[in-house]
């Protein structure tokens, strides 16, 4: 369970988050939507301590993570798998080394065991036998899947997805959506998916949250989002430039 | 008129504050590097990779530059000695100017250009493609994982490269002496032996050690602070190289003063 309360952060001259309240219940997938530049990535970076809020609170399993020392923060981070927008694969390493890196760094598993786990995770994401390839020779969709394999290498309790389907073709988007779903069913993981791809949002969400002007202005199930009369949600879903959300 | 003054004042004040903040941030990076040194050295494979990258792959460049440096030193000495100082002293002049000054400084400047740029470009790219965020998110400290191996490799490899550079430069000087200056090998070597002082060699190597740290830290610092895509990487690279080279020359002066006035003063 992640509880975010009254989170505020100012970057440069802009109050990016202005009192965000959000709950991510254990085992659920919460989709955070919002226009480009509303601070979705900033919210996501606050959760794993890559950015630090000016005020507010983020609790992970009852533990406050805002203001935590690096050592304790790292213990929290080890429970998270993170899929970055671009995959963020290390291009000096092979795919296998990328996926195995958290295992090599944080466990004492022997190399053979790590190789097995890497092969296994790559198989989960539908990429068998690509260990020796370099990230530079992968397509965008493959990179995201390798990034996902790396994110789940340590069997995390939480996965953060930053725009997992942006920039992918519809078929690859569907592959990723199904992966997000199947991971939730397979290992009972709690997920936050940041996206503005409505298709993907409906597909993977247990709950949806809409971020606008630094606040969460709506939360509800996909069905509630479809039927709500909240004008901001309507506008966002319909993709209209006219309405309460300023273009 | 007063407005003009005010703007000027604001500009200078902002520049000053930026400058102080920059020095502070660099000092923090240096401090962090020392704090993570122990843990960082445990992944010694990373250090070895960097030693290859920083040291071994610079050999060719160091070789060429040193050979010509020694040759030029010999030509210059030959010209300046003419009818003033007997040429039998030429070996010692070349030796001492190479090991105290030319070897370490020129090596640092060329390695600073090559390695400082490549570190800044690599880490800068990692920054803008979220790879450094990814390290943090995986609970892998980027200073330990990226900075420590580079700094350690650089402070080891710079003195080594300097020794090689010294050796090659002396050979370069010797070639000029025997081919164009009519100085025999025997004279060249005897002169070097007579005026060789261990502290000269040491002073050069101590400098090289510090130069290695400067180059790696500047590359890492500007790499880490890169923002804004490919253009940002280009800016970071330039800044890393320029500041590394300037700091090498400034610290050369400072270290030389400390060494020859206090430590080796006797
Ligand atoms: N490091 C930073 N320094 C200053 N401003 C920043 C920084 N990071 C983000 N911002 C600003 O914060 C706002 C939100 O950025 P963010 O990246 O979170 O948007 P986003 O919702 O993820 O958008 P997208 O959907 O395009 O990824 C933007 O206006 C951006 O300019
Ligand atoms: Mg984003």
């Amino acid at each position: 369970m992640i509880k975010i309360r009254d989170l505020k952060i100012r970057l440069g001259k802009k109050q990016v988050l202005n009192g965000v309240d959000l709950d991510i219940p254990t085992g659920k997938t919460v989709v955070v939507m919002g226009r480009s530049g509303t601070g979705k990535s900033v919210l996501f970076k606050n959760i794993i301590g890559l950015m630090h809020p000016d005020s507010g609170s983020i609790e992970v399993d009852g533990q406050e993570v805002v203001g935590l020392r690096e050592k304790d923060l790292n213990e929290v981070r080890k429970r998270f798998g993170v899929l970055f927008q671009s995959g963020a694969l290390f291009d000096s390493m092979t795919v296998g080394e990328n996926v195995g890196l958290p295992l090599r760094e944080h466990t004492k598993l022997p190399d053979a065991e790590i190789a097995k786990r890497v092969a296994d995770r790559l198989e989960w994401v539908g990429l068998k036998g690509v260990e020796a390839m370099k990230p530079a020779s992968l397509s965008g969709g493959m990179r995201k899947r390798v990034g996902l394999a790396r994110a789940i290498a340590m069997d995390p309790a939480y996965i953060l997805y930053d725009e997992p389907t942006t920039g992918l073709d519809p078929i690859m988007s569907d592959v990723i959506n199904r992966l997000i779903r199947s991971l939730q069913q397979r290992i009972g993981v709690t997920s936050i998916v940041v996206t503005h791809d409505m298709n993907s949002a409906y597909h993977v969400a247990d709950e949806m949250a809409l971020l606008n002007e630094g606040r969460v202005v709506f939360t509800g199930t996909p069905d509630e989002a479809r039927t709500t009369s909240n004008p901001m949600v309507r506008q966002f879903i319909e993709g209209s430039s006219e309405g309460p959300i300023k273009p | 008129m007063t407005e003009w003054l005010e703007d000027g004042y604001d500009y200078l004040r902002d520049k000053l504050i930026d400058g102080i903040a920059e020095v502070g941030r660099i000092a923090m990076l240096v401090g962090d590097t020392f704090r993570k040194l122990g843990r960082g050295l445990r992944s010694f494979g990373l250090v070895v990779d960097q030693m290859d990258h920083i040291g071994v792959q610079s050999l060719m460049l160091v070789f060429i530059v040193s050979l010509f440096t020694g040759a030029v030193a010999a030509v210059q000495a030959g010209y300046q000695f003419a009818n003033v100082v007997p040429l039998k002293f030429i070996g010692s002049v070349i030796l001492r100017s190479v090991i105290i000054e030319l070897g370490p400084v020129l090596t640092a400047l060329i390695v600073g250009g090559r390695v400082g740029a490549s570190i800044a470009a690599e880490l800068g790219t990692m920054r803008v493609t979220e790879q450094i965020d990814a390290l943090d998110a995986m609970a892998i400290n980027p200073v330990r994982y990226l900075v420590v191996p580079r700094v350690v490799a650089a402070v080891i490899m710079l003195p080594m490269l300097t020794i090689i550079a010294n050796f090659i430069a002396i050979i370069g000087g010797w070639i000029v002496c025997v081919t164009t200056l009519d100085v025999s090998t025997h004279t060249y070597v005897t002169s070097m032996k007579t005026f060789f002082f261990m502290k000269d060699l040491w002073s050069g190597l101590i400098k090289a050690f510090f130069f290695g740290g400067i180059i790696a830290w500047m590359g890492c610092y500007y790499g880490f602070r890169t923002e804004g895509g490919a253009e940002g990487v280009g800016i970071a690279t330039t800044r890393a190289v320029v500041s590394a080279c300037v700091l090498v020359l400034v610290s050369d002066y400072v270290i030389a003063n400390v060494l020859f006035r206090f430590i080796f003063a006797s």
Side-chain angles (χ1 to χ4, degrees):
Chain A
M1 171 97 184
I2 302 178
K3 260 191 201 163
I4 301 170
R5 289 288 174 274
D6 201 23
L7 200 71
K8 294 185 180 170
I9 185 169
R10 194 183 179 83
L11 292 168
K13 287 191 170 63
K14 193 173 171 202
Q15 187 72 38
V16 178
L17 301 182
N18 194 12
V20 170
D21 294 306
L22 187 64
D23 285 347
I24 296 100
T26 303
K28 299 284 187 223
T29 300
V30 175
V31 172
V32 178
M33 304 172 299
R35 292 192 46 216
S36 192
T38 45
K40 301 184 298 295
S41 296
V42 169
L43 175 63
F44 148 110
K45 285 181 179 167
N46 272 278
I47 295 173
I48 38 171
L50 297 176
M51 281 185 174
H52 305 284
D54 300 325
S55 67
S57 131
I58 301 170
E59 272 182 23
V60 177
D61 300 331
Q63 186 185 12
E64 177 62 56
V65 299
V66 174
L68 222 50
R69 296 197 337 235
E70 195 198 334
K71 200 160 155 281
D72 303 315
L73 188 58
N74 278 343
E75 289 309 312
V76 177
R77 284 168 173 169
K78 285 180 198 169
R79 276 180 268 152
F80 279 83
V82 180
L83 177 61
F84 284 87
Q85 206 160 333
S86 58
L89 302 179
F90 301 113
D91 31 40
S92 59
M93 301 179 191
T94 63
V95 166
E97 287 166 341
N98 262 286
V99 178
L101 181 67
L103 298 166
R104 283 200 306 280
E105 289 292 322
H106 298 309
T107 69
K108 295 199 162 54
L109 292 176
D111 288 353
E113 198 64 38
I114 291 181
K116 236 179 80 192
R117 177 97 73 106
V118 168
D120 184 49
R121 292 302 185 274
L122 284 171
E123 203 182 330
W124 282 19
V125 300
L127 290 171
K128 223 171 147 182
V130 298
E131 280 94 333
M133 290 177 82
K134 281 287 182 91
S137 57
L138 301 178
S139 74
M142 287 167 93
R143 278 163 193 251
K144 286 221 165 137
R145 285 188 285 166
V146 172
L148 187 52
R150 186 176 68 185
I152 56 181
M154 295 273 287
D155 291 329
Y158 297 94
I159 306 183
L160 304 183
Y161 301 87
D162 193 0
E163 317 222 356
T165 56
T166 306
L168 300 184
D169 68 66
I171 294 165
M172 187 51 69
S173 298
D174 191 54
V175 170
I176 300 271
N177 289 336
R178 282 166 196 273
L179 267 171
I180 295 175
R181 266 282 170 230
S182 78
L183 280 173
Q184 186 193 15
Q185 279 146 17
R186 195 162 189 167
I187 53 179
V189 69
T190 308
S191 310
I192 303 177
V193 180
V194 165
T195 191
H196 37 53
D197 173 354
M198 290 309 301
N199 249 325
S200 166
Y202 279 130
H203 195 121
V204 301
D206 294 312
E207 270 186 50
M208 297 174 134
L210 181 65
L211 196 64
N212 192 44
E213 295 189 347
R215 284 206 177 82
V216 173
V217 292
F218 170 85
T219 52
T221 63
D223 283 336
E224 286 165 356
R226 276 195 197 90
T227 54
T228 181
S229 57
N230 183 319
M232 290 195 221
V233 179
R234 295 251 57 84
Q235 187 193 349
F236 196 81
I237 291 174
E238 283 155 16
S240 164
S241 61
E242 281 171 22
I245 304 177
K246 304 273 174 308
Chain B
M1 181 68 195
T2 50
E3 210 170 283
W4 179 84
L5 262 179
E6 253 172 53
D7 283 355
Y9 170 79
D10 284 352
Y11 176 81
L12 283 179
R13 187 196 54 195
D14 288 353
K15 279 276 165 224
L16 182 69
I17 291 171
D18 284 354
I20 294 170
E22 185 115 317
V23 172
R25 284 190 298 259
I26 292 172
M28 270 160 60
L29 178 65
V30 173
D32 272 357
T33 311
F34 281 107
R35 273 199 315 135
K36 301 288 176 198
L37 193 58
R39 286 260 290 129
L41 285 177
R42 263 185 264 164
S43 328
F44 203 72
L46 295 174
V47 181
V48 175
D49 284 350
Q50 290 304 320
M51 284 166 76
D52 175 53
H53 187 81
I54 295 173
V56 179
Q57 294 181 32
S58 297
L59 271 177
M60 201 57 213
L61 198 57
V62 167
F63 183 93
I64 295 167
V65 172
S66 318
L67 192 68
F68 283 95
T69 304
V72 170
V75 172
Q76 281 295 321
Y79 168 69
Q80 294 181 28
F81 278 18
N83 306 324
V84 185
V85 184
L87 273 180
K88 68 173 186 182
F89 293 117
I90 195 167
S92 77
V93 167
I94 292 171
L95 175 79
R96 296 189 71 182
S97 54
V98 164
I99 65 176
I100 296 176
E101 205 51 51
L102 296 175
V105 173
L106 287 175
T107 305
L109 291 178
I110 52 170
V111 174
R114 189 186 157 274
V115 172
S118 88
I119 292 178
E122 186 184 3
L123 300 197
T125 306
M126 291 183 74
R127 166 63 80 203
V128 299
T129 56
E130 299 180 308
Q131 292 176 49
I132 292 180
D133 281 341
L135 279 178
D136 265 318
M138 281 189 258
I140 299 172
N141 183 288
V143 172
R144 165 178 77 78
Y145 197 79
L146 299 171
V147 180
V148 169
R150 283 168 177 75
V151 170
V152 171
V155 299
I156 295 173
M157 292 320 276
L158 254 279
M160 297 224 189
L161 286 173
T162 300
I163 292 175
I164 294 166
N166 289 345
F167 191 75
I168 305 290
I170 287 163
I171 291 176
W174 167 78
I175 293 172
V176 170
C177 285
V178 295
T179 54
T180 65
L181 292 178
D182 212 13
V183 176
S184 75
T185 305
H186 176 78
T187 315
Y188 188 69
V189 174
T190 314
S191 150
M192 290 203 301
K193 275 190 192 156
T194 335
F195 292 96
F196 174 75
F197 300 102
M198 205 55 203
K199 65 181 183 185
D200 291 354
L201 183 62
W202 273 118
S203 76
L205 297 185
I206 291 168
K207 282 181 193 172
F209 175 86
F210 283 100
F211 296 163
I214 288 171
I215 292 165
W217 269 313
M218 286 300 112
C220 290
Y221 174 77
Y222 287 106
F224 269 18
R225 286 189 59 79
T226 304
E227 46 190 45
E231 191 190 2
V233 174
I235 295 171
T237 308
T238 312
R239 286 194 180 151
V241 173
V242 171
S243 54
C245 291
V246 170
L247 283 181
V248 161
L249 292 173
V250 172
S251 65
D252 181 38
Y253 173 77
V254 175
I255 299 169
N257 265 295
V258 172
L259 287 178
F260 291 107
R261 285 191 182 197
F262 303 104
I263 298 171
F264 292 150
S266 49

